[in-house]
Amino acid sequence: GAGVSQTPSNKVTEKGKYVELRCDPISGHTALYWYRQSLGQGPEFLIYFQGTGAADDSGLPNDRFFAVRPEGSVSTLKIQRTERGDSAVYLCASSFTGLTEAFFGQGTRLTVV
Amino acid sequence: DAKTTQPPSMDCAEGRAANLPCNHSTISGNEYVYWYRQIHSQGPQYIIHGLKNNETNEMASLIITEDRKSSTLILPHATLRDTAVYYCIVRVIEGRRALTFGSGTRLQVQP
């Protein structure tokens, strides 16, 4: 596809469950970013990949959050033992090198009930 | 990365220029000014960026003061589709860091 694709677009899960959110970046983009956005706030940085490795994971709030990018393309954000406070829109972005502009997906709206 | 300050909201009449200010008084010499916008229910969209010279593209113009402590994003002829939250971000290029978003300015273009 032409843009960053995130699936699912909406996810409702029960408190305590495990969820996976997927991001398909623009083909050829080496840099990939995950953000989360709560209502009325700007996006909050979670983790940044350069290729397959996490170059900066300082934004992950705790050890329930983990992300992988095993082949340097698709990335999965994994949240264990979800809590109601994890409810937010999770945004993924990619850029060609990490030095150029970032393109964002439409986000996954996660609701923990 | 340096902190930015933006007004929380602004109005603009359709067809008029929208001038969105940003203060970044602690900016360092190796930090660029980026602007993104976020239309309701969409991901942020890149608009423009610059270091110290004024920049223009098909979407907007960026005016950076000579001391680089503030900048203005100009949408020359605002339309209803420009209604969005506009984020001014200061970012170090070296080290390939991620963007750090603040609260932005909510621009409402009025018909």
Side-chain angles (χ1 to χ4, degrees), chain B residues 87-103:
Chain B
Y87 296 98
C88 169
I89 300 164
V90 172
R91 179 193 184 201
V92 175
I93 287 292
E94 293 88 354
R96 304 185 181 188
R97 297 185 189 178
L99 299 162
T100 301
F101 289 82
S103 299

Side-chain angles (χ1 to χ4, degrees), chain A residues 33-56:
Chain A
Y33 311 84
W34 283 100
Y35 289 81
R36 74 175 174 181
Q37 187 171 25
S38 300
L39 193 62
Q41 311 273 331
E44 173 192 15
F45 168 71
L46 295 177
I47 187 169
Y48 158 43
F49 286 91
Q50 187 62 41
T52 60
D56 182 356

Side-chain angles (χ1 to χ4, degrees), chain A residues 73-110:
Chain A
S73 178
V74 171
S75 177
T76 305
L77 178 66
K78 309 180 182 199
I79 310 174
Q80 298 178 319
R81 304 182 305 280
T82 52
E83 301 177 355
R84 292 197 179 89
D86 299 334
S87 296
V89 175
Y90 288 80
L91 294 162
C92 176
S94 70
S95 78
F96 185 57
T97 65
L99 301 175
T100 53
E101 68 194 82
F103 294 85
F104 283 78
Q106 299 280 68
T108 293
R109 181 175 299 278
L110 176 67

Side-chain angles (χ1 to χ4, degrees), chain B residues 10-69:
Chain B
M10 292 182 64
D11 285 346
C12 176
E14 189 177 18
R16 304 298 293 269
N19 296 280
L20 293 98
C22 180
N23 181 286
H24 31 79
S25 58
T26 60
I27 193 169
S28 300
N30 63 344
E31 289 179 313
Y32 284 69
V33 180
Y34 281 76
W35 284 84
Y36 278 73
R37 74 179 183 183
Q38 188 171 24
I39 295 170
H40 183 62
S41 297
Q42 297 183 21
Q45 175 192 23
Y46 167 81
I47 301 173
I48 199 167
H49 76 281
L51 181 62
K52 55 183 178 181
N53 296 319
N54 298 337
E55 303 287 345
T56 294
N57 62 21
E58 65 279 3
M59 290 182 69
S61 294
L62 173 61
I63 308 298
I64 302 174
T65 57
E66 193 168 341
D67 63 8
R68 302 210 322 123
K69 293 185 176 184

